[in-house]
Amino acid sequence: MVIMKTQETLTNQAVADSQPDRRRWLKAGLGALAVCALPARKSRARAGTARKGLIRATRSPYFDTLEDHAIRCTLCPRKCRLARGERGDCRVRENRNGTGVSLVYGNPAIVQIDPVERKPFYHVLPGSRSLSVATAGCNMTCKFCEVWDTALVAPEDVFAYDLPPDEIMNQIAGTDVRSVAYTFGEPVVFFEYMLSIARRVHDAGHKNLMHTNGYIEPKPLRDLLPYLDGINIDLKGFDPEMYRRISGGDLGTVKRTLRKVRAAGIHVEVTYLVIPTLTDAAEEIKAMSRWIASELGARTPLHLARFYPLYQLANLPPTPVSTLDDARDIARSQGLDYVYISKVPGHEGEDTYCPGCGKIIIQRTGFILESIDVRDGKCGHCGHTIPGVWT
Amino acid sequence: MTTRQTHRIPSMFTAVLALGAGSQLAQVVLLRELLTVFSGHELSFGIILAGWMFWVAVGSAIANEILARSLAGNRSRTLTMATGTAISVLISLPVTVLMLRGLRAAFDVSPGMHLALLDLAWSGVLLMAPTCVFLGMHFVFLASARGRRDVVNPVNSAISTYQVEAAGNAIGGLLFTMLLVHVMSAIHLAALAGLIMLAVLPGKNGTGALAAANAERQQAPRYRRLCLVLLAAVLSWPWLGRLDRQASRLQWRLAAPDQQLIDLRQSRYGPLALLQRDGQYNVYQSGHRVFSAGGANAALALEEQNAAILAHLSMTQHSDPQRVLLIGGGLRGVLREVLYHEVRTIDYVELDPVLLDMASAVAAPTTRAALSDPRVRVRTLDGRRFIKQTDTRYDVIVVDVPDPATAVLNRYYTWEFFEEAKTRLAPEGVLAVNLSGGDPRGRVTANRNSTVFHTLRRVFDDVIVFGETDLIFLAANGSNRISADPARLRERFRKREIASAAFPDAYFHLLMEPSRLNRLNWMLRHHGRNDAAHHSPPDAGPLQVPAPSAQRAMEPSLPPVNERIFINSDFRPIGYVHNLILWNRTTRARNPRRLDRLLDIHPLWALPLPGLILLLALVWNLLGSGRRRSRRSVRYAVCTAAFTTGLSTMLLQVSILFAFQGVYGYVYERIGLIVALFMTGLAMGAALMHRFAPAGGMRLLAAVQLAVALFIAGVALALPLTGTLDAPNLVFALFALITWVAGILSGADFPLAVRCLAPLLKHPSHAVGRVYGLELLGACLGAAAASVMIVPVFGIRVACLLAAGMNAVAALTFLPSLNRTEPL
């Protein structure tokens, strides 16, 4: 496990070695308060403009205290053990004098409003607009990361907005935005920020959507689920060894997350990036589709996304469309009702077909909605129930 | 006297000549193989040349040590050692080629990943070590065997050996370019290099001088060996060809394990490979994917969707496009899609005829039909040259070439090219430039993409960037000429009744979705406007970003662009450096940021070196007195001259290679000729000095240094002008002349320096080794520094001026000694 040392040191000592327990905890609490307050004062920026390296260090409950001021992050299965001053693999969680802090609470690098289909969610309020939020940092190291120069960097290396959760609510107030999506980065690493926003969004009657790698521990996931309306989980492959090799993650954990989300009754969509040579084997796609059908249900939408040469895999060709077609046929042959082809605008596989009557009920070109024939979650032609979030 | 001796020992002469030719073949083979390993990145030139010289020097040192310790005076054993080193080269060079092709196997890299620059550099330099060390040893053994014949003046003999080897280099280079490259594979050439060295070696029983006395007895074994070597060559020739093909297949199995290798061809721009998988064809040049296409069996035009986006977005920007120029991209579908619009003519220019031939054979039927459409004129020549030659004014010019990953490709992203393109645009004309990569929110991608933006913006009034997986830069003269209104463009598209399966008309709304389009343009427009901008990610802008037209209106109030880092030029290819840094960031480099520091280097940082040289010269002249001081001062000046000649010659050589790549683009094919020209000059320079100034002299050496300085300064002024000339033969003649004269001046320097130094040393015969070593050291440093940073970051003119400055400083170090009257 690579632990990154931070240059930053706090002026306030949160914990002193020789203190008795009660006093130590009292001081730790004060220290943590200082952690929250000091950097925020220092780096306050106007909400509307971005600032390079904006950090609002905020104490996080998702850390366990260990001996010698060390802490352990409990957010994701990496469970980074951080000595004082060290930073986790995700680059955005740090041990400040024995206190675990998130460095990206309230300072997103990406804030934009666009169609919900772009997140991508095909069965959630089609055609509606959604506010996307993302920060620096990620707990995986995908070789094909689309946002590598935002996600695979430290918060010091991006421009970020000063947008505490209440400010996010201000951004959507009075607009046609119907949901907030935690996407375009990895929301697990800005979990505390996401949770704070999600509570407010939920209370305001909007929807919370999360697009994630699913590499998260059960406890934080449990905390989030009550506020979540939809989740899209990236399956980076279905071969455990290849999964580890190309993303640095663990397939078993991601499958566990998918099961838990489904068990909680949350709307789930799955995205599978079909990478030539690496994840496009017919057997792998077949096994994955079979697993989705049996564990998550045949009504789970599956997005088979086209790979474009990117980041470390820049010398691979894009996925042949014929490979995507074959993958779609395989997935459907395993019983999946809603199999989409993504990132090929104009492909018939972008449209939603009713499993009852076989007719097109939602027509799309990329993330542009062309037509919709779903009423109250039912097919406009035959009345078949279509899974998703429709109101 | 040496001449007299030499004609009596023709076998030694031939052996040294063969060494020159063989080592030249070896160098060119390794340069080409490594250029492919480095995915065509020209910085490999310097790394390879520096590595080459370093290992040759190591080999020479080892051989000198062996000679001194165990072979003293024993010519027979020396020749046995020479035979051993020739055999070693014969084995090691083909093995090196094989290992270079299998290099990926040594690293844990996924298919589609590039190796890190540092990994490439150290592994490449390490792999060439055995061959170079053996070549260095071989030279010393032959020089030693030859030198022992010249009992009167071993220094003269060594200089003569240097000349003969240079002549051999020239022959090897010319043979390679004119003949061998067209008929032989790399493994054949590698074997040939060792074979010719081995075939003409004299026998260990004392051929050479003894041959004169006992010619009949000596000739027999020599011819027997020649016959044996020739027989071995003939027998192994087909097998070597098979080995070369197998090695190429292995190389591609490692790089693209699931793709089927369909075709391999040599082009003047680098080796081409055509691979296939699931009906998709992928074309690679120098290991780098150039493009992917649907292939003959592809039913779906969607396969080539990015090509369709580029074509329709560009074409709908013009109200009535009639004349279109397409540079590249025709084979991946752009040509076919452009033809959907009712155009009168399309000039489709494809740089590489071999690529056109190879890819069109497997292209989709629609693409093949497009190529034979009566409205299409296919031209196989350099797009830059075409733009210079044509008188047509185009409504739309589409540039669809790969990213500026090499100096050759960078030529399509420079302000000089954009200026040329602008002159060929009709009044309402639009230029479209395609670049890979998505959202530039990070520093490295923003640096490259903003460089293209600002370079275009320097030439055109209106520039807007579109795209998602690829970026499409549209530029035009006049304000608000580029439209970002999807409804308007969609209407235009519909009116033309275009039924492209790859481009649904709703696509305009995808491309012009405001949240992305506005921010993308904001970031590229605002980035690069202060001295440290390249160290910072791009400012993401306000939460509500204005539309590109509003951003354009606000642009005059922005700070000026940092031109040193964000304006790309033919002769200061900073776009290539940005792409190189981006490339390095996306490899498995352990410390990818190391390369970023290249952008911080300033030409003035080079000043301490000449300053130090002058300071030391001053110190040597102030310390001590009399004859000792004079000797030390002259010795220092001569050594400085040798070092700076090596350094400046390499700075010039690398500058010439980059300039050639910039103007012509096919160094891969002509590298042998360029080196041959230089080596011909080198041999001639040494011969001229030997004939007309046999006594040499300090004044002459100082004068040569000054001449080199003036010549290179002249080159600094002349080279950038070659880009403006529209006479390829004249430009090539100019390059040839510069290379040749540089060789002459460098060649003249060596014997002069040796003759000046020899009387000042305890062992005069050591002068050759000392001068040779210093030249190598200078050349080694010069090659590495020039190709990795000086030429790409400062530009060709600054590199030449630095080289000229170094020689001028070397000339200055002679000044105190020239005025001194004490005897040496």
Side-chain angles (χ1 to χ4, degrees):
Chain A
M1 184 171 66
V2 181
I3 303 295
M4 296 165 65
K5 283 260 184 193
T6 178
Q7 301 294 319
E8 208 168 334
T9 52
L10 285 174
T11 49
N12 290 0
Q13 288 287 319
V15 182
D17 289 341
S18 55
Q19 300 289 341
D21 268 7
R22 245 180 90 187
R23 285 186 64 195
R24 205 177 77 179
W25 281 108
L26 187 64
K27 284 195 102 177
L30 288 171
L33 277 174
V35 162
C36 303
L38 277 177
R41 269 206 309 273
K42 277 181 182 171
S43 57
R44 197 79 192 172
R46 282 188 297 122
T49 56
R51 226 185 75 179
K52 182 176 178 272
L54 177 67
I55 289 177
R56 308 174 83 237
T58 303
R59 189 186 179 197
S60 164
Y62 297 100
F63 284 96
D64 285 343
T65 307
L66 307 174
E67 68 285 357
D68 297 332
H69 306 294
I71 54 172
R72 186 182 301 282
C73 179
T74 58
L75 209 49
C76 91
R78 290 190 181 277
K79 293 184 177 166
C80 296
R81 185 187 192 279
L82 308 177
R84 186 188 286 179
E86 283 182 336
R87 203 175 276 193
D89 288 358
C90 63
R91 304 169 180 84
V92 298
R93 301 176 70 75
E94 190 174 286
N95 179 345
R96 291 199 173 177
N97 293 322
T99 303
V101 297
S102 163
L103 303 177
V104 287
Y105 188 97
N107 44 301
I110 297 174
V111 181
Q112 67 184 47
I113 297 172
D114 46 20
V116 73
E117 281 80 2
R118 197 170 174 187
K119 311 307 170 188
F121 282 94
Y122 278 12
H123 287 234
V124 178
L125 306 174
S128 69
R129 287 160 68 75
S130 180
L131 175 83
S132 298
V133 180
T135 70
C138 187
N139 56 349
M140 282 195 185
T141 51
C142 301
K143 295 184 193 308
F144 45 83
C145 183
E146 279 186 58
V147 286
W148 63 273
D149 49 7
T150 313
L152 300 181
V153 296
E156 289 86 347
D157 295 330
V158 294
F159 270 75
Y161 298 93
D162 189 10
L163 283 175
D166 288 334
E167 194 59 46
I168 291 286
M169 297 310 292
N170 290 340
Q171 292 296 321
I172 59 174
T175 68
D176 59 351
V177 167
R178 296 185 65 188
S179 59
V180 173
Y182 313 98
T183 182
F184 299 139
E186 181 42 61
V188 169
V189 302
F190 60 89
F191 186 86
E192 299 81 359
Y193 182 43
M194 172 170 61
L195 189 60
S196 295
I197 300 171
R199 284 182 180 134
R200 288 163 173 81
V201 168
H202 184 76
D203 291 347
H206 296 303
K207 306 294 179 196
N208 281 301
L209 306 174
M210 182 188 189
H211 182 194
T212 173
N213 60 24
Y215 202 47
I216 185 169
E217 281 291 278
K219 164 77 171 71
L221 183 64
R222 259 197 318 274
D223 295 345
L224 180 70
L225 286 178
Y227 308 102
L228 213 53
D229 298 285
I231 189 165
N232 188 322
I233 294 188
D234 276 335
L235 262 178
K236 318 272 183 187
F238 211 69
D239 171 60
E241 175 52 29
M242 184 59 82
Y243 209 99
R244 187 199 56 75
R245 193 176 155 81
I246 61 174
S247 72
D250 168 53
L251 176 61
T253 308
V254 180
K255 283 158 88 173
R256 181 186 69 194
T257 303
L258 277 162
R259 281 195 210 98
K260 285 188 181 297
V261 174
R262 165 58 75 214
I266 309 289
H267 170 72
V268 182
E269 299 190 18
V270 176
T271 298
Y272 184 88
L273 185 65
V274 185
I275 307 174
T277 309
L278 300 178
T279 66
D280 65 345
E283 279 311 309
E284 198 175 332
I285 291 167
K286 191 175 179 180
M288 180 215 23
S289 306
R290 197 185 306 134
W291 184 86
I292 291 173
S294 66
E295 298 284 332
L296 309 179
R299 288 152 52 89
T300 307
L302 170 65
H303 302 257
L304 296 167
R306 188 181 197 189
F307 163 84
Y308 282 93
L310 263 175
Y311 187 40
Q312 296 195 334
L313 301 182
N315 217 26
L316 274 184
T319 320
V321 177
S322 58
T323 305
L324 294 167
D325 288 336
D326 292 344
R328 184 166 173 242
D329 290 343
I330 291 168
R332 291 202 292 199
S333 73
Q334 296 307 302
L336 293 181
D337 288 337
Y338 306 95
V339 185
Y340 298 102
I341 287 183
S342 296
K343 297 188 185 173
V344 191
H347 194 286
E348 58 172 23
E350 287 187 314
D351 300 332
T352 303
Y353 297 81
C354 171
C357 62
K359 289 183 177 160
I360 293 178
I361 46 175
I362 304 175
Q363 204 169 9
R364 305 177 183 87
T365 300
F367 53 79
I368 305 291
L369 187 78
E370 302 274 14
S371 69
I372 179 163
D373 216 343
V374 179
R375 291 182 204 110
D376 300 328
K378 290 185 167 53
C379 169
H381 304 287
C382 69
H384 187 91
T385 303
I386 311 296
V389 179
W390 307 104
T391 54
Chain B
M1 190 270 310
T2 306
T3 320
R4 188 162 45 82
Q5 292 280 356
T6 304
H7 83 266
R8 281 171 52 204
I9 47 169
S11 60
M12 285 308 302
F13 175 87
T14 321
V16 177
L17 204 65
L19 164 66
S23 67
Q24 194 55 56
L25 284 180
Q27 191 183 65
V28 176
V29 166
L30 288 179
L31 267 168
R32 284 163 59 101
E33 286 294 320
L34 278 159
L35 194 60
T36 307
V37 167
F38 275 79
S39 298
H41 286 289
E42 288 85 357
L43 68 83
S44 58
F45 295 152
I47 294 170
I48 299 160
L49 289 174
W52 176 276
M53 284 175 281
F54 174 76
W55 290 119
V56 168
V58 169
S60 305
I62 293 170
N64 273 320
E65 197 62 27
I66 294 171
L67 279 172
R69 289 187 179 202
S70 53
L71 298 177
N74 191 331
R75 185 166 183 272
S76 168
R77 285 179 62 194
T78 305
L79 282 173
T80 305
M81 292 299 288
T83 307
T85 47
I87 292 171
S88 303
V89 170
L90 177 63
I91 296 166
S92 70
L93 187 54
V95 170
T96 304
V97 172
L98 294 176
M99 289 175 80
L100 283 172
R101 291 190 184 173
L103 192 62
R104 281 183 76 90
F107 297 95
D108 180 27
V109 282
S110 294
M113 278 181 78
H114 288 292
L115 293 173
L117 275 179
L118 202 63
D119 287 341
L120 286 172
W122 73 255
S123 54
V125 169
L126 214 60
L127 282 177
M128 68 163 68
T131 302
C132 298
V133 168
F134 292 134
L135 282 170
M137 291 173 75
H138 194 67
F139 176 80
V140 172
F141 291 138
L142 287 187
S144 165
R146 196 160 185 256
R148 288 204 175 87
R149 310 313 312 152
D150 195 340
V151 290
V152 182
N153 193 342
V155 170
N156 271 356
S157 172
I159 292 171
S160 153
T161 305
Y162 176 83
Q163 282 174 43
V164 176
E165 200 221 0
N169 287 152
I171 293 168
L174 287 170
L175 263 178
F176 174 84
T177 310
M178 302 297 176
L179 175 70
L180 303 179
V181 70
H182 304 292
V183 294
M184 285 187 192
S185 70
I187 299 277
H188 279 127
L189 286 165
L192 183 70
L195 281 173
I196 57 174
M197 283 164 55
L198 191 62
V200 296
L201 265 183
K204 67 175 181 177
N205 292 329
T207 38
L210 288 179
N214 199 355
E216 205 175 312
R217 190 163 58 85
Q218 295 303 322
Q219 290 302 319
R222 196 166 139 234
Y223 286 123
R224 213 163 37 234
R225 183 202 298 223
L226 191 63
C227 289
L228 272 174
V229 169
L230 280 176
L231 184 68
V234 169
L235 289 177
S236 63
W237 219 240
W239 183 79
L240 289 174
R242 271 204 300 279
L243 187 65
D244 188 87
R245 283 191 294 278
Q246 289 297 329
S248 292
R249 289 186 186 282
L250 167 75
Q251 191 172 23
W252 281 107
R253 258 204 306 282
L254 291 167
D258 272 13
Q259 295 192 52
Q260 187 191 351
L261 184 63
I262 304 292
D263 199 359
L264 273 173
R265 293 195 201 177
Q266 287 293 333
S267 129
R268 60 184 1 190
Y269 303 99
L272 282 162
L274 178 69
L275 291 97
Q276 188 223 339
R277 190 168 188 270
D278 287 353
Q280 178 193 60
Y281 286 88
N282 303 303
V283 178
Y284 291 81
Q285 188 150 41
S286 298
H288 207 87
R289 194 178 65 88
V290 184
F291 66 87
S292 300
N297 300 319
L300 283 167
L302 290 169
E303 193 68 59
E304 295 165 351
Q305 193 161 45
N306 276 0
I309 298 167
L310 174 63
H312 298 304
L313 183 64
S314 312
M315 294 297 286
T316 50
Q317 288 293 334
H318 196 281
S319 57
D320 184 24
Q322 289 297 309
R323 292 179 185 81
V324 179
L325 170 61
L326 172 62
I327 298 176
L331 295 163
R332 72 171 189 125
V334 182
L335 181 65
R336 179 193 63 224
E337 298 292 325
V338 168
L339 279 168
Y340 279 119
H341 301 258
E342 290 297 322
V343 295
R344 198 180 300 164
T345 57
I346 302 178
D347 286 323
Y348 166 41
V349 183
E350 189 59 70
L351 176 70
D352 194 340
V354 182
L355 185 144
L356 186 68
D357 185 52
M358 187 166 91
S360 57
V362 295
T366 47
T367 298
R368 284 214 293 274
L371 286 168
S372 54
D373 189 291
R375 292 171 291 169
V376 176
R377 288 182 297 197
V378 182
R379 313 289 298 268
T380 49
L381 82 161
D382 179 22
R384 296 271 317 244
R385 213 178 125 196
F386 179 82
I387 280 212
K388 278 198 186 102
Q389 288 175 352
T390 185
D391 293 325
T392 311
R393 294 288 180 275
Y394 295 97
D395 298 316
V396 179
I397 297 178
V398 180
V399 182
D400 185 24
V401 296
D403 293 347
T406 63
V408 186
L409 296 167
N410 186 67
R411 302 181 310 144
Y412 293 97
Y413 298 90
T414 60
W415 67 264
E416 290 93 337
F417 170 63
F418 295 149
E419 281 284 4
E420 288 163 5
K422 187 178 165 182
T423 62
R424 297 296 175 265
L425 279 175
E428 289 183 19
V430 176
L431 172 72
V433 179
N434 195 45
L435 196 66
S436 76
D439 225 345
R441 284 178 186 266
R443 181 175 52 87
V444 181
T445 34
N447 283 350
R448 187 199 63 171
N449 297 345
S450 281
T451 297
V452 177
F453 183 91
H454 292 313
T455 307
L456 270 167
R457 191 62 192 83
R458 173 182 166 146
V459 177
F460 292 94
D461 300 324
D462 195 11
V463 180
I464 299 186
V465 191
F466 300 85
E468 189 130 27
T469 53
D470 283 354
L471 295 182
I472 299 167
F473 294 74
L474 296 180
N477 288 318
S479 58
N480 291 324
R481 298 299 295 275
I482 304 297
S483 173
D485 177 0
R488 182 182 171 202
L489 298 180
R490 191 176 187 177
E491 184 58 26
R492 200 174 261 177
F493 187 78
R494 277 180 175 166
K495 273 188 182 163
R496 291 180 194 171
E497 295 178 344
I498 292 165
S500 166
F503 193 87
D505 57 11
Y507 219 123
F508 288 108
H509 295 277
L510 295 180
L511 291 168
M512 288 159 210
E513 200 279 311
S515 67
R516 182 185 153 75
L517 180 76
N518 297 354
R519 196 166 302 279
L520 173 68
N521 280 275
W522 173 281
M523 288 193 292
L524 295 186
R525 195 184 302 272
H526 284 72
H527 189 57
R529 292 183 181 271
N530 64 61
D531 288 345
H534 52 289
H535 287 305
S536 172
D539 184 352
L543 281 168
Q544 308 299 328
V545 186
S549 53
Q551 292 178 28
R552 202 165 34 217
M554 290 186 280
E555 197 172 317
S557 63
L558 297 177
V561 172
N562 176 353
E563 297 218 347
R564 191 175 78 85
I565 304 292
F566 290 94
I567 297 292
N568 193 22
S569 159
D570 280 348
F571 292 94
R572 208 174 56 78
I574 199 75
Y576 158 75
V577 180
H578 286 310
N579 206 81
L580 191 69
I581 291 171
L582 173 60
W583 186 71
N584 193 48
R585 282 298 296 271
T586 59
T587 62
R588 57 190 286 278
R590 277 174 290 277
N591 189 356
R593 285 196 167 216
R594 198 171 291 161
L595 208 61
D596 300 9
R597 292 179 196 136
L598 278 180
L599 296 173
D600 293 326
I601 299 167
H602 199 277
L604 293 179
W605 290 10
L607 282 185
L609 184 59
L612 184 72
I613 289 171
L614 283 175
L615 186 72
L616 284 174
L618 200 66
V619 170
W620 294 141
N621 278 288
L622 289 176
L623 291 179
S625 61
R627 188 165 170 261
R628 200 167 157 216
R629 184 180 69 172
S630 299
R631 287 172 72 91
R632 190 176 52 208
S633 154
V634 173
R635 208 161 49 219
Y636 174 74
V638 173
C639 289
T640 303
F643 174 78
T644 51
T645 301
L647 184 83
S648 60
T649 306
M650 266 306 140
L651 279 171
L652 182 63
Q653 273 281 78
V654 174
S655 300
I656 289 171
L657 287 174
F658 266 82
F660 187 87
Q661 241 354 25
V663 175
Y664 274 96
Y666 45 90
V667 152
Y668 181 75
E669 184 192 64
R670 294 292 169 91
I671 185 86
L673 185 62
I674 293 170
V675 178
L677 279 167
F678 181 80
M679 297 315 285
T680 311
L682 200 78
M684 284 187 71
L688 283 171
M689 278 299 136
H690 192 61
R691 187 181 174 97
F692 296 111
M698 225 171 14
R699 282 178 193 280
L700 196 53
L701 182 57
V704 168
Q705 289 297 309
L706 210 55
V708 174
L710 289 172
F711 170 71
I712 299 180
V715 171
L717 300 175
L719 264 187
L721 299 178
T722 54
T724 60
L725 294 174
D726 184 23
N729 293 332
L730 178 68
V731 176
F732 187 76
L734 200 62
F735 272 111
L737 186 70
I738 291 170
T739 309
W740 186 65
V741 175
I744 289 181
L745 291 171
S746 181
D749 184 83
F750 181 78
L752 282 175
V754 170
R755 290 210 177 92
C756 286
L757 191 63
L760 305 174
L761 298 178
K762 199 172 163 189
H763 302 287
S765 60
H766 288 182
V768 176
R770 182 82 59 92
V771 171
Y772 191 61
L774 281 165
E775 268 201 13
L776 273 181
L777 178 68
C780 198
L781 285 175
S787 71
V788 175
M789 57 182 175
I790 296 176
V791 175
V793 181
F794 303 154
I796 286 163
R797 185 168 279 171
V798 173
C800 290
L801 288 175
L802 280 174
M806 289 303 294
N807 279 101
V809 164
L812 280 177
T813 57
F814 281 99
L815 271 183
S817 312
L818 293 176
N819 297 328
R820 198 164 281 142
T821 50
E822 299 104 324
L824 290 174

